[in-house]
Amino acid sequence: MIVLLLGSGGREHALAHAIASSSDCEKLFTAPGNPGTAACGRNVALDPLDFEALMDFCEEEGVDLVVVGPEAPLVAGIVDAFGERPTAPAVVGPGKDAAQLEGSKAFAKAFMARHGIPTAGYKAFTAAEREEGLAHLAAAPTPIVLKADGLAAGKGVLILEDRAEAQAEFAAMLDGKFGDAGHQVVVEQFLDGVEMSVFAVSDGETYALLPSSKDYKRIGEGDTGLNTGGMGAISPVPYADTDLMARIRERIVAPTVRGLAKDGLDYRGFIYFGLMIVDGEPLVIEYNCRMGDPETQAVLPLLDQELLPVLEALPDGRLDDLVEPGGDLAVRPGAAATIVLASGGYPEAYSKDKAIEGPADPASPASPADAALIYHAGTRLDGEGILRTNGGRVMACTGRGPNLAAALDQANAAADTLCFEKLYRRSDIGSGF
Ligand code: AMP
Ligand code: GLY
């Protein structure tokens, strides 16, 4: 099987490593990739949003399957575009309509309401409904949760204590603070609980779960400060016992997969459920139509079955050949923890091009049997072969062990081997369990 993977972050390095380690993988291309994915296959300088160029490349190289890391190509309709060219390979992921689960918060909320999936109460307002929205906010209980409807690079959610500030932000969103993403604003009930993420693969009829994960979104220790893409992750979630996972399957995952089929939405890919557990009951905060970053770097190293056959089965609707429907993918015992190494200043302005010192060949994670894996995210090799920083989140170090404490020790030990100017990492990932 010849595979084309799209994306260039730490998630994609983890996916590339898992795909390339599958016995069925003849060749792996990553577009555009990073130095880590280059060690798993060949990087190609193609834009993940240039569907025509990607299809031409797939024809030239005989690509059999396309795997999409980030949401943008899915929300832009890559599955539909490839579906229209008879010679194009299958793409793992939802069609454009189904990708609205991530692409539009108002769509996702209406989907959940229609299918009885537990979520925070909400009202959605368009620019034409500005006055109703302001009146609603004047009487809403605080804190107030405001969400720009569309993709806003993780910045479109505001949680505000002050009603007047919420009204001003609401108006700013409708006035284009997040561009088109704010043409509609969702005002949501605040949920007080603990967060976790669950990932499913679905072939449109059935699903299977990957290990659960918790990601650490804020930049500062103790989960304080600005939101980031994620500064670390652990897997599985210590409080996600069999009872809670059974409720998550029954109330959230199964109704979502059934709801998609009922609505005629083509969804054959990863489903990311961002959950809040309130008094033991799971509610959906958000759907994403892809895997999480950095959760993927913690979750995939726990898999005890090859990833590529599972991905191959999704577009063909053959998942039940490989896994028990509604069950779990095979996982190894123990835990994994991932610590992100960021450039100081991230998620605001930060510098690039700092030389990265570390193990002789940090371009490839250790073999799957090893306890620590180093994934590349924002890195590049310069003309002289020196590895340099090239983004806010630079690398992700994953440790594995018989329990979370052991996994964290391994992750920290791996992170200690890497060094660059203004390196910043959180020291409290996974603490408190
Ligand atoms: P999202 O971009 O939807 O993942 O939201 C970003 C973060 O905002 C989430 O990870 C939560 O921590 C928080 N959040 C979103 N919605 C709510 C809510 N209804 N109640 C409390 N916190 C929320
Ligand atoms: N780590 C959060 C996300 O990938 O959306």
Side-chain angles (χ1 to χ4, degrees):
M1 166 116 336
I2 302 180
V3 182
L4 172 64
L5 170 68
L6 303 183
S8 62
R11 167 184 50 210
E12 285 73 30
H13 189 186
L15 283 166
H17 186 243
I19 291 168
S21 322
S22 300
S23 40
D24 201 17
C25 182
E26 195 183 319
K27 219 187 257 183
L28 172 69
F29 298 103
T30 308
N34 63 34
T37 63
C40 305
R42 201 180 103 204
N43 286 353
V44 287
L46 288 173
D47 175 355
L49 288 170
D50 187 347
F51 302 155
E52 290 299 320
L54 293 172
M55 284 189 278
D56 291 345
F57 176 82
C58 288
E59 256 169 50
E60 281 159 27
E61 296 290 343
V63 170
D64 302 299
L65 188 73
V66 178
V67 180
V68 186
E71 64 278 9
L74 295 165
V75 174
I78 189 170
V79 170
D80 308 64
F82 273 58
E84 277 162 24
R85 201 193 274 195
T87 51
V91 181
V92 178
K96 188 174 184 176
D97 291 346
Q100 291 298 303
L101 276 192
E102 175 164 1
S104 163
K105 306 253 186 216
F107 178 94
K109 296 300 275 189
F111 175 87
M112 288 185 266
R114 198 159 58 241
H115 298 291
I117 297 164
T119 185
Y122 81 107
K123 270 191 173 354
F125 300 95
T126 61
E129 295 159 328
R130 174 187 296 254
E131 293 311 319
E132 290 95 311
L134 292 171
H136 175 77
L137 289 171
T142 54
I144 291 172
V145 182
L146 297 180
K147 298 188 171 182
D149 179 57
L151 296 181
K155 299 202 173 88
V157 175
L158 297 176
I159 300 177
L160 301 161
E161 288 293 339
D162 183 80
R163 288 202 185 87
E165 195 186 347
Q167 287 177 318
E169 288 291 351
F170 171 82
M173 283 186 180
L174 288 179
D175 288 340
K177 179 174 179 181
F178 297 113
D180 276 353
H183 68 279
Q184 191 170 190
V185 178
V186 169
V187 180
E188 204 173 272
Q189 170 200 3
F190 177 79
L191 299 176
D192 192 6
V194 288
E195 279 186 65
M196 63 179 278
S197 305
V198 165
F199 307 97
V201 279
S202 175
D203 65 1
E205 258 178 55
T206 185
Y207 73 89
L209 293 188
L210 288 89
S212 63
S213 179
K214 175 173 165 51
D215 123 71
Y216 292 76
K217 285 207 173 79
R218 308 267 187 143
I219 189 70
E221 303 282 322
D223 239 5
T224 53
L226 293 174
N227 248 328
T228 71
M231 293 299 295
I234 58 168
S235 179
V237 176
Y239 50 77
D241 56 18
T242 321
D243 266 8
L244 176 58
M245 289 309 297
R247 282 201 296 280
I248 291 172
R249 282 172 210 278
E250 191 187 310
R251 295 184 195 168
I252 290 173
V253 185
T256 298
V257 174
R258 273 200 308 271
L260 287 164
K262 205 167 160 196
D263 290 350
L265 294 167
D266 171 26
Y267 203 123
R268 291 171 286 170
F270 290 107
I271 316 176
Y272 170 138
F273 301 84
L275 306 178
M276 187 76 88
I277 315 299
V278 182
D279 297 330
E281 296 304 324
L283 292 98
V284 177
I285 297 187
E286 62 164 346
Y287 287 112
N288 292 318
C289 59
R290 49 163 176 91
M291 287 295 289
D293 186 340
E295 295 96 317
T296 305
Q297 295 90 305
V299 163
L300 292 186
L302 290 177
L303 283 192
D304 202 16
Q305 78 183 87
E306 293 189 347
L307 183 64
L308 185 53
V310 174
L311 298 180
E312 266 180 77
L314 300 181
D316 301 345
R318 289 187 295 103
L319 188 59
D320 54 358
D321 290 353
L322 289 170
V323 294
E324 189 200 331
D328 292 319
L329 295 185
V331 287
R332 55 171 79 200
T338 299
I339 294 170
V340 168
L341 311 187
S343 273
Y346 172 80
E348 296 185 290
Y350 54 84
S351 51
K352 288 187 187 177
D353 295 325
K354 304 295 175 198
I356 301 170
E357 289 168 40
D361 180 19
S364 166
S367 75
D370 288 343
L373 303 106
I374 294 172
Y375 295 113
H376 287 237
T379 70
R380 69 173 182 92
L381 280 171
D382 71 10
E384 284 152 27
I386 296 172
L387 193 67
R388 294 192 179 273
T389 66
N390 191 37
R393 292 190 295 173
V394 177
M395 290 185 139
C397 298
T398 297
R400 280 183 298 207
N403 52 46
L404 179 57
L408 280 164
D409 283 348
Q410 294 292 344
N412 276 303
D416 287 343
T417 65
L418 292 156
C419 171
F420 52 86
E421 204 181 303
K422 297 216 179 119
L423 185 159
Y424 171 77
R425 71 194 224 223
R426 271 180 63 172
S427 66
D428 64 339
I429 304 299
S431 64
F433 288 111

